[in-house]
Amino acid sequence: MNTTLLTERLLLRPAQLGDAEPIARYLNDFAVAGNLARVPFPYHLSDAKAWLRTRLPTLPVDDTSFAIDLPGHGFVGQVGFHRGAQGPVIGYWLGQPFWGQGIMTEAVTASLDWFFATTQADTIYSGVFIFNAASLAIQDKLGFTQTGRSRLLCLARDAEVEHIDTKLTHSVWKAREK
């Protein structure tokens, strides 16, 4: 899909080839990549360009991603959806210089508003590696509940890592608006 979302501080937009350099710069930081399942480390410009070539405007809603654009800085991170074994999954990452500013909570909130308004999905899944307290705090704040633990391959660490599995139902999401 070719969707753009505006928040108070952010523009969420389709990723574009011009984002390749900041994507490579921010993901070639083990503090970022080591918290993600599907990102290798080191992460190269060629990796970013290869990923960007997969971001077609014809992708379905449950495979949509948004570049997080912060005015004055440009591309700072990514939030998106992909298909998982149980259903749609949301994932996200933010360049380390932008941590602790509420940017990801704002981006994930707007993305979830869009996702639940655009789909018939009753539940969205996510989770964090056991050591990623900041990401778990975002999910807790937004109403995700822990559903268990699993082991998930982390490409950057080249190992299976303990993962806290989470989910968010549409009804819980709607209830928080009130």
Side-chain angles (χ1 to χ4, degrees):
M1 295 198 82
N2 205 1
T3 301
T4 299
L5 308 174
L6 289 172
T7 72
E8 187 176 318
R9 297 182 292 167
L10 308 171
L11 170 66
L12 304 180
R13 58 168 175 77
Q16 47 198 282
L17 194 54
D19 297 325
E21 287 186 26
I23 289 171
R25 180 173 62 251
Y26 296 135
L27 287 179
N28 196 38
D29 176 350
F30 190 77
V32 177
N35 285 317
L36 304 172
R38 305 182 320 162
V39 174
F41 184 82
Y43 193 90
H44 303 286
L45 183 59
S46 59
D47 297 317
K49 288 179 179 179
W51 180 78
L52 285 164
R53 283 193 292 275
T54 71
R55 304 289 84 205
L56 305 172
T58 55
L59 291 171
V61 171
D62 61 358
D63 200 16
T64 297
S65 62
F66 297 100
I68 303 169
D69 196 305
L70 181 63
H73 296 277
F75 181 97
V76 297
Q78 193 77 25
V79 58
F81 304 92
H82 65 272
R83 295 179 189 129
Q86 296 179 292
V89 176
I90 186 169
Y92 47 86
W93 64 268
L94 190 64
Q96 191 171 185
F98 306 96
W99 290 3
Q101 300 174 38
I103 291 169
M104 192 51 73
T105 299
E106 189 174 329
V108 171
T109 298
S111 299
L112 288 169
D113 281 341
W114 171 82
F115 185 80
F116 281 126
T118 306
T119 71
Q120 300 296 313
D122 179 61
T123 304
I124 188 146
Y125 297 89
S126 194
V128 302
F129 288 126
I130 192 78
F131 41 77
N132 194 344
S135 188
L136 187 58
I138 291 169
Q139 291 184 24
D140 287 343
K141 186 184 318 181
L142 296 179
F144 282 80
T145 57
Q146 294 184 31
T147 60
R149 303 282 174 105
S150 60
R151 295 202 59 81
L152 190 63
L153 177 63
C154 174
L155 292 179
R157 295 173 186 275
D158 193 27
E160 284 196 353
V161 177
E162 188 173 356
H163 188 261
I164 301 169
D165 305 317
T166 64
K167 73 175 183 178
L168 174 69
T169 63
H170 190 195
S171 59
V172 166
W173 185 249
K174 278 180 74 170
R176 76 179 277 285
E177 294 173 354
K178 296 178 180 169

